[in-house]
Amino acid sequence: MNISRKTFFKGLALGTLSLPFVLKTMKPGQAQQDNSPLLKSSKQYKWKMVTTWPPNFPVLGEACTLFAEMVNKMSGGRMHIRVYGGGELVPALETFDTVRNGGAEMGNGAAYYWAGKIPAAQFFATVPFGMNAQQVNTWITSGGGQELWEECYHHFNLVPMMAGNTGVQMGGWFNREINTIEDLKGLKMRIPGLAGKVLEKAGGSPVLLAGGEIYTGLERGVLDATEWLGPFHDYNMGFHEIAKYYYSPGWHEPGTVLELIINKEKFESLPEDLQAIIRAAAAYFNAWVLNRMEAANAEYLAIMIEKGIDIRKFPVEVLDTLRIYTKEVIEEMTTTNEFARKVYASYSEFRKKAVAWAGYSEKVFYDNLQVI
Ligand code: CA
């Protein structure tokens, strides 16, 4: 599949990717004759979902559209959700405030975008050198993470749910070689969340830009470097046209959780079956996004290698220093913020056990991984 940057950016037309199901959208008002006991009421709900993604953005925005279709289908047409890309109804990074204030009933993004308001929210997105997708999914569903997340967002009139995961990301695009930690000095880099503070410690300047603004930011020199996602998105966004080196690993985003946020009052006003449908669809897309990302990244890594793109790994000493800075950043944050301390205590305790287990499971497997 060869897609131009422009086409990619506008979003793939649905149907260009093989979907696991074909959903026939029912129009609101197209009442079913079903007597299922689940159908408590025939009341129609017309909701809006605002997102931080460019409109119909491949995988991430696409998942929102498919989510809306799935909820429509599962609800027998009672719930119609209109999805807006970032900037269509409100700017991308106003998603959080728009949903909590009721300007839209739902939103989709990642919790580290709200770090300026809620430092602890970042733990529900990703932590540099932290847990991967499998581990963070486990912490949130089975290790107390969901309860803490709900406690955190309750104060903002929101209900959070996981609705996707990027998997391990790439370290980003640079126009200079990164051989020592000194090479990060003075670098203006698009990098979100805790990792931005880590970059600051290394003498760089983090810039938070939504996905749709990165390419022009690099082109105009607002940015010297950027990270975004993995081979699939990065290649199709054309970053290799304006940056020389593509570095691994995404030390800063080992498995970023994408969130569905719902206005709490609106969610609680729904019949129980619609609430359950939303939760089930979110859980479905939590897995769907990760599966799509992993498949597409593997495919596009091969394409990038074939095209001769200069893909490198950060030197171990650079990663070691970034890890020390990460520890300092987290300590500073948790010292001054009681709730962040509580969330991180849960996160780090869970991670210790998860990493110990991985030492006897995943790690042993990867250490001996050979393609046969
Ligand atoms: Ca990223």
Side-chain angles (χ1 to χ4, degrees), residues 112-113 166 169-170 190-192 227-230 252-253 256:
Y112 54 38
Y113 289 141
T166 65
Q169 298 192 14
M170 283 291 282
R190 186 271 179 194
I191 189 166
E227 66 76 54
W228 175 229
L229 284 161
H252 62 302
E253 299 201 56
T256 303

